[in-house]
Amino acid sequence: MKFKSGTDIGLKRSENQDAVRCEYFGHNVLAVVCDGMGGENSGKEASTIAVEEFFQRFSEGYRESLDDEEIRKLLISSVSAANSVIYTKAKLDFNNFGMGTTCVAVFLTNKSAFIANVGDSRAYLFVENEGVFRITTDHNVASLLYEQGRITEEEFENHPQKHMLVRAVGVNQTVQTDTFILDYEDKIYLLLCSDGLSGYCTDDEIYDVIINSDFDDVVQNLIDLALSKGGRDNVTVAVISE
């Protein structure tokens, strides 16, 4: 099992408000990508806190004997722990009003991928000779309208509220987390990213970079792809493969 991750400020922003961390848990891997929001330094602080609190809560609760449902619940409680810390910090300091972050995480074992997400950072499954397939659902206004059938796919692509989140970590006292479990047999290849990549690059473009890159180079090549599209946002990528 192997992983690579990286983040870049992009070409237009004055601060990188993304955060990423990947670590081994025995033979397993935990990876988390967060994209912060908020004025001044609040976005960066939110994403940094989220990653730290997520890993701390997961580390405290993890045991090798956990079954699938217990791992799923541990991911949810790890998001909730991050949510509580960020929400409290924002309430105690008016300068941090509105601070929050997306969060997408994967815990990969030798037979299953456990995925959790809040916001519009994404998890993809890469399948050789087929494509990349989005696992997560974006929690933003445009996606909600599209799911409700109120806008078309074409309208969705250029919708002015495409980046307006309806769910984020730290904004409300409690947070609802989506979870997914993918079972696999021989191998699996997962991509986590902030919308600095997925918001400006198509699935086909992302697939082409992955299929034509060595594993050690794929993260930087995906970041370079986003930069070639104008680099209008921070871009963060993590790839995990068994």
Side-chain angles (χ1 to χ4, degrees), residues 3-65:
F3 60 80
K4 294 283 288 188
S5 65
T7 185
D8 192 281
I9 193 171
L11 303 176
K12 303 293 184 181
R13 299 295 177 92
S14 59
E15 180 186 47
N16 191 346
Q17 297 190 333
D18 289 359
V20 58
R21 183 173 168 186
C22 304
E23 285 186 13
Y24 285 107
F25 278 71
H27 297 294
N28 307 320
V29 169
L30 176 64
V32 181
V33 168
C34 295
D35 179 356
M37 59 187 190
E40 297 185 358
N41 297 320
S42 296
K44 179 60 178 177
E45 190 172 6
S47 63
T48 301
I49 290 172
V51 169
E52 291 175 352
E53 293 296 329
F54 191 106
F55 267 83
Q56 181 174 331
R57 176 67 186 89
F58 195 93
S59 298
E60 290 171 352
Y62 178 69
R63 302 183 308 279
E64 288 191 8
S65 60

Side-chain angles (χ1 to χ4, degrees), residues 96-149:
N96 290 324
F97 177 78
M99 74 185 297
T101 183
T102 70
C103 182
V104 60
V106 60
F107 184 67
L108 185 63
T109 72
N110 62 1
K111 64 181 181 65
S112 301
F114 301 84
I115 295 149
N117 90 290
V118 179
D120 60 1
S121 294
R122 293 180 176 180
Y124 288 91
L125 173 68
F126 166 79
V127 181
E128 192 171 356
N129 298 322
E130 293 189 32
V132 292
F133 302 92
R134 178 153 55 102
I135 301 164
T136 52
T137 299
D138 292 342
H139 302 136
N140 56 42
V141 173
S143 293
L144 187 63
L145 293 174
Y146 178 69
E147 288 170 15
Q148 295 171 344

Side-chain angles (χ1 to χ4, degrees), residues 40-195:
E40 297 185 358
N41 297 320
S42 296
K44 179 60 178 177
E45 190 172 6
S47 63
T48 301
I49 290 172
V51 169
E52 291 175 352
E53 293 296 329
F54 191 106
F55 267 83
Q56 181 174 331
R57 176 67 186 89
F58 195 93
S59 298
E60 290 171 352
Y62 178 69
R63 302 183 308 279
E64 288 191 8
S65 60
L66 294 182
D67 62 28
D68 287 4
E69 179 61 15
E70 288 171 327
I71 292 174
R72 189 186 74 85
K73 288 181 177 178
L74 181 56
L75 287 173
I76 293 172
S77 68
S78 299
V79 174
S80 294
N83 188 82
S84 295
V85 173
I86 296 168
Y87 178 78
T88 300
K89 191 171 186 66
K91 293 286 281 187
L92 293 175
D93 185 351
F94 74 90
N95 289 319
N96 290 324
F97 177 78
M99 74 185 297
T101 183
T102 70
C103 182
V104 60
V106 60
F107 184 67
L108 185 63
T109 72
N110 62 1
K111 64 181 181 65
S112 301
F114 301 84
I115 295 149
N117 90 290
V118 179
D120 60 1
S121 294
R122 293 180 176 180
Y124 288 91
L125 173 68
F126 166 79
V127 181
E128 192 171 356
N129 298 322
E130 293 189 32
V132 292
F133 302 92
R134 178 153 55 102
I135 301 164
T136 52
T137 299
D138 292 342
H139 302 136
N140 56 42
V141 173
S143 293
L144 187 63
L145 293 174
Y146 178 69
E147 288 170 15
Q148 295 171 344
R150 294 165 63 184
I151 60 173
T152 65
E153 185 173 354
E154 186 177 353
E155 289 172 326
F156 165 78
E157 288 302 325
N158 299 299
H159 198 276
Q161 294 175 305
K162 192 174 181 180
H163 299 289
M164 184 177 292
L165 298 180
V166 295
R167 224 192 283 180
V169 178
V171 174
N172 297 308
Q173 193 166 2
T174 59
V175 63
Q176 181 182 352
T177 304
D178 289 352
T179 57
F180 309 84
I181 301 176
L182 303 180
D183 296 324
Y184 70 98
E185 293 184 358
D186 298 322
K187 59 183 180 179
I188 192 170
Y189 193 126
L190 298 168
L191 162 69
L192 304 183
C193 66
S194 65
D195 67 345

